[in-house]
Amino acid sequence: MEKVKVLIAGAGPAGSTCGLLLRKKGVDCMVVDRAVFPRDKICGGGLTPRSYKLLGRLLPEFKYDYNSVHRLKLCIEGEQVLDFLMGRELRIVKRRQFDAQLLEAYRQSGGQFVNEALTAIEEHDGAIVVTLKSGRQIACDYLVGADGANSRVRRYLNPKSSHGILCMEQYGPKSADNAVVGNLSRKYQQGYYYSFPNEAYDVQGFGDGVTTPETFRSVLNEMGCPDLKALGAYIPQSIDYPIRDRIILIGDAGGFPNRLTFEGIYYAFLTASHAAEAISTGRPFALVNKQVFDNKKKEERAARFFYSNTGLTLLRWLCKYCSGLVVWLFNKASD
């Protein structure tokens, strides 16, 4: 049987970043993913200032392409209530290209990559053994689940784990003003419509607690979007599995996307760095990642109020009479 110190399931931003950081520390690791990269990924692709600043600290040598966006338009019930220039740019990346670049950086660092699906996980005498689709078996000291909302590692820890909310999006025509657009509505169940401009097209999407293909199409029609091919993916919104020392979940697999905004890439980078630190130092991941676990509880409370009738009424009032405060709060949160 093959042996590796760390096996990482999933080669997205969380998995590739974790692998890169472990390689920097001289830790033997292997990344496994069934997808052939470059591959498409449902995501607006927005890197907030705190996301790209964290990435710059973790991987200062990593270079990537992006569309710089400074303008944001906020709507409530389809009516524009705010239009402003952000204090720092949003960097809109094409996830197909961005994820492939991160994986290639990991491979260039000497990390092993296996293009196969993980089919089974077992534990024997203190060792974790994973089986790949080909029948190949690999024993590891640490198993890191970075395999997204449908994580097999997460299902191993809790077979009844929730998928989260369904988010759907399409690639629409490029907008002339190169602005991020968001729309909130009392009709939505703790979610929102969004449009993120790439260099060649806009990513138009919607997600809430009860999204279906029919509600997605209805919302996009209300926002004036054409009917185009739509894709969907889940965004986990809970941490409903036991926290283990040697089986670690990061990024979407760990249920870490922001409960209010659904931002996932920042937490992919952050939890990847915490996993690498926990493994390289021997400290429990629950301790290294404690602040993130605590933040999820605060975000859940904030989301319940923000998306309530009272929260939307207050936001509309603030946008009308205290728009400067709203802009300041947005810039502070994204930074």
Side-chain angles (χ1 to χ4, degrees):
M1 184 179 296
E2 296 177 64
K3 180 75 167 62
V4 68
K5 177 74 173 179
V6 183
L7 190 141
I8 302 170
S16 292
T17 298
C18 185
L20 259 170
L21 295 174
L22 287 170
R23 291 300 305 146
K24 284 175 172 285
K25 297 174 185 293
V27 177
D28 179 34
C29 61
M30 175 188 292
V31 173
V32 175
D33 200 306
R34 65 180 180 179
V36 177
F37 287 75
R39 57 91 173 94
D40 288 320
K41 168 67 177 175
I42 294 293
C43 177
L47 298 187
T48 59
R50 67 175 184 168
S51 294
Y52 57 74
K53 287 196 293 184
L54 174 60
L55 179 60
R57 291 196 299 271
L58 297 175
L59 305 172
E61 71 285 355
F62 179 65
K63 307 300 179 185
Y64 55 96
D65 299 323
Y66 60 88
N67 181 37
S68 177
V69 177
H70 293 270
R71 190 176 180 185
L72 186 144
K73 296 180 180 181
L74 176 64
C75 304
I76 298 180
E77 310 295 353
E79 175 189 353
Q80 184 172 297
V81 295
L82 208 59
D83 183 348
F84 67 96
L85 296 179
M86 295 170 281
R88 291 181 183 270
E89 66 180 354
L90 284 178
R91 296 180 177 179
I92 313 298
V93 300
K94 295 179 180 178
R95 286 294 302 274
R96 178 181 177 86
Q97 180 180 1
F98 181 78
D99 292 9
Q101 288 176 310
L102 265 176
L103 175 59
E104 182 58 26
Y106 161 74
R107 297 178 71 174
Q108 290 295 324
S109 72
Q112 301 180 66
F113 174 67
V114 177
N115 186 199
E116 265 197 79
L118 188 156
T119 58
I121 303 168
E122 300 173 279
E123 293 181 77
H124 301 292
D125 301 324
I128 304 166
V129 179
V130 303
T131 302
L132 304 184
K133 186 176 181 180
S134 64
R136 181 178 178 182
Q137 290 192 310
I138 304 163
C140 57
D141 295 331
Y142 290 89
L143 173 60
V144 177
D147 44 346
N150 298 314
S151 170
R152 181 172 288 276
V153 182
R154 182 183 176 118
R155 291 202 304 274
Y156 172 75
L157 294 176
N158 178 10
K160 297 182 180 180
S161 181
S162 169
H163 287 299
I165 71 165
L166 175 63
C167 182
M168 299 188 69
E169 57 186 37
Q170 66 181 26
Y171 297 155
K174 171 72 175 175
S175 57
D177 51 11
N178 197 44
V180 170
V181 179
N183 183 64
L184 303 168
S185 172
R186 290 176 175 83
K187 295 185 295 183
Y188 306 163
Q189 301 296 311
Q190 200 161 312
Y192 60 94
Y193 160 88
Y194 60 87
S195 177
F196 284 84
N198 256 305
E199 294 175 344
Y201 54 83
D202 286 358
V203 179
Q204 301 161 338
F206 171 73
D208 74 353
V210 292
T211 306
T212 64
E214 291 74 26
T215 57
F216 165 77
R217 187 56 59 198
S218 174
V219 168
L220 263 67
N221 287 340
E222 289 175 0
M223 296 303 297
C225 302
D227 289 350
L228 301 170
K229 180 182 178 181
L231 299 173
Y234 286 100
I235 302 178
Q237 292 285 282
S238 63
I239 299 170
D240 55 358
Y241 52 87
I243 309 301
R244 302 273 295 273
D245 286 341
R246 297 198 302 117
I247 300 181
I248 299 171
L249 296 177
I250 60 177
D252 283 12
F256 293 115
N258 188 286
R259 305 297 189 254
L260 185 65
T261 65
F262 310 147
E263 178 186 12
I265 298 181
Y266 170 76
Y267 285 107
F269 297 149
L270 185 61
T271 56
S273 69
H274 288 171
E277 180 183 343
I279 292 168
S280 61
T281 63
R283 298 170 63 201
F285 179 72
L287 180 61
V288 179
N289 199 58
K290 182 179 184 305
Q291 185 174 356
V292 176
F293 284 121
D294 291 343
N295 282 347
K296 297 301 108 179
K297 299 174 184 177
K298 297 176 183 177
E299 290 171 4
E300 287 167 5
R301 292 194 294 269
R304 283 195 295 270
F305 174 76
F306 181 82
Y307 289 109
S308 68
N309 287 341
T310 302
L312 291 181
T313 299
L314 177 60
L315 178 60
R316 183 191 287 272
W317 186 90
L318 288 172
C319 289
K320 184 175 182 179
Y321 296 105
C322 303
S323 59
L325 175 62
V326 177
V327 173
W328 180 83
L329 288 171
F330 175 86
N331 285 329
K332 186 171 180 61
S334 65
D335 210 19

